[in-house]
Amino acid sequence: MPIIAFQGRPGAYSDLLCRMVKPGWTTLPCRTFAEAIEAVHVGSADEAMLACENTLAGRVPDIHSLLPDADLYIVGEHFQRVEHCLLAVKGTRISDIRRIHTHPVALGQIRSLISELGAEAVPEFDTAGAAELVAKWNNPEDAAIASSLAGELNGLDLLRCNVEDATHNTTRFYRVAKEPCRPDPSRHDTLTTLLMRVKNRSGALYAALGGFSRHGINMTRIESYMLNGSFTATQFLMDVEGHPEQPALSMALSELGEVSDNLRILGVYPRSLSRDGA
């Protein structure tokens, strides 16, 4: 049976997405993104699902540092709506709750609930891990914020669902594999993820990106970060619409290669159907 790795404990939102995207596959929980990537490298998993950005929290720093050297290919993008649930041991009443446990980012997304219940906010390493702890303690004064799947796997009662303050809390994921799986160039719903480096000098970025504008290529994402603690060059991770074998993007990439260093294609994959509504 094929295996897909993810970062987190069983029942994490990444686990939930893996089960939706790859029904019938076995999901493999990993402590870190690096372990999920390594699982694909050594053959313990066929693919990995890696969170890359969130509408509230922004980019996922670990992925930006790991992905360029991962020697894996992006083969898909997926969006997971984050629907926080208030979970507790069976028989718990909401009035019993004194402490709410979850990941620090999730705590920042449920301020209204914390205020309403007058509960202590307790940061934990993971949302699903918080659910495991609450189940282990078996104390009605402790509740967890996690996915409904985490509640189900740990035998917890779902006291409330969708307790997040913002309804647009969505995480985007890259699905990666050891081998590329490029769509047919005739498809018009393709995204390409690139990595390039430019010198920190006047006009360098303008020269590097001008080709996309000249050839009508839409850029859906660009992230910059310094390399090895140096201020002399900046690396950019970009998602652009189009296929490298289509004339417009091919010409834009040719121009980009002339004015940038270390240009690499990390993946060519179908655009998610839920992108516009994510």
Side-chain angles (χ1 to χ4, degrees):
M1 182 179 294
I3 297 172
I4 183 166
F6 66 94
Q7 184 275 324
R9 298 294 301 155
Y13 291 103
S14 301
D15 187 8
L16 180 61
L17 179 63
C18 288
R19 295 170 188 239
M20 292 171 57
V21 172
K22 293 292 184 180
W25 285 37
T26 298
T27 60
L28 176 65
C30 300
R31 291 186 304 164
T32 64
F33 289 112
E35 286 188 7
I37 289 171
E38 182 64 16
V40 180
H41 273 300
V42 301
S44 300
D46 299 277
E47 295 182 354
M49 191 74 76
L50 307 175
C52 60
E53 55 185 333
N54 176 268
T55 53
L56 294 180
R59 74 180 186 179
V60 179
D62 284 354
I63 294 305
H64 289 75
S65 60
L66 293 170
L67 195 58
D69 299 318
D71 196 27
L72 299 177
Y73 295 91
I74 301 170
V75 295
E77 68 158 358
H78 305 278
F79 293 87
Q80 175 63 48
R81 169 83 162 81
V82 178
E83 297 179 290
H84 289 316
C85 298
L86 180 64
L87 308 170
V89 295
K90 293 190 179 300
T92 297
R93 299 168 299 178
I94 290 182
S95 60
D96 295 331
I97 297 171
R98 297 292 179 267
R99 292 169 294 275
I100 296 179
H101 304 259
T102 192
H103 189 277
V105 172
L107 285 175
Q109 298 168 352
I110 59 162
R111 291 190 178 95
S112 296
L113 177 69
I114 293 171
S115 176
E116 175 195 339
L117 301 186
E120 177 187 356
V122 184
E124 304 291 354
F125 68 95
D126 183 51
T127 55
E132 290 180 348
L133 290 173
V134 167
K136 176 182 177 181
W137 295 328
N138 195 34
N139 185 346
E141 293 188 350
D142 292 286
I145 296 295
S147 71
S148 57
L149 176 61
E152 179 183 335
L153 293 178
N154 290 284
L156 299 175
D157 278 352
L158 194 163
L159 302 184
R160 284 190 193 174
C161 59
N162 296 108
V163 296
E164 61 274 10
D165 298 328
T167 59
H168 60 273
N169 187 0
T170 301
T171 302
R172 180 179 179 232
F173 291 78
Y174 288 133
R175 183 165 52 87
V176 300
K178 289 182 71 172
E179 300 295 332
C181 185
R182 291 191 173 189
D184 190 280
S186 64
R187 291 184 60 159
H188 295 287
D189 61 345
T190 303
L191 291 177
T192 297
T193 296
L194 318 166
L195 190 73
M196 66 122 181
R197 184 182 307 168
V198 298
K199 300 292 185 182
N200 281 343
R201 62 190 181 201
S202 178
L205 183 59
Y206 175 83
L209 301 184
F212 293 121
S213 177
R214 284 190 291 273
H215 297 287
I217 300 299
N218 184 39
M219 184 180 302
T220 62
R221 181 190 185 202
I222 181 168
E223 296 281 357
S224 64
Y225 44 106
M226 311 305 290
L227 292 171
N228 302 319
S230 169
F231 290 95
T232 60
T234 302
Q235 189 158 265
F236 291 88
L237 182 70
M238 298 175 288
D239 295 330
V240 298
E241 293 181 346
H243 193 293
E245 295 178 37
Q246 293 169 349
L249 184 53
S250 177
M251 289 186 287
L253 292 178
S254 179
E255 292 185 19
L256 180 60
E258 295 175 2
V259 295
S260 65
D261 299 323
N262 196 34
L263 176 62
R264 286 190 285 156
I265 294 178
L266 300 183
V268 183
Y269 48 93
R271 173 190 178 102
S272 171
L273 294 176
S274 62
R275 168 172 279 272
D276 293 332

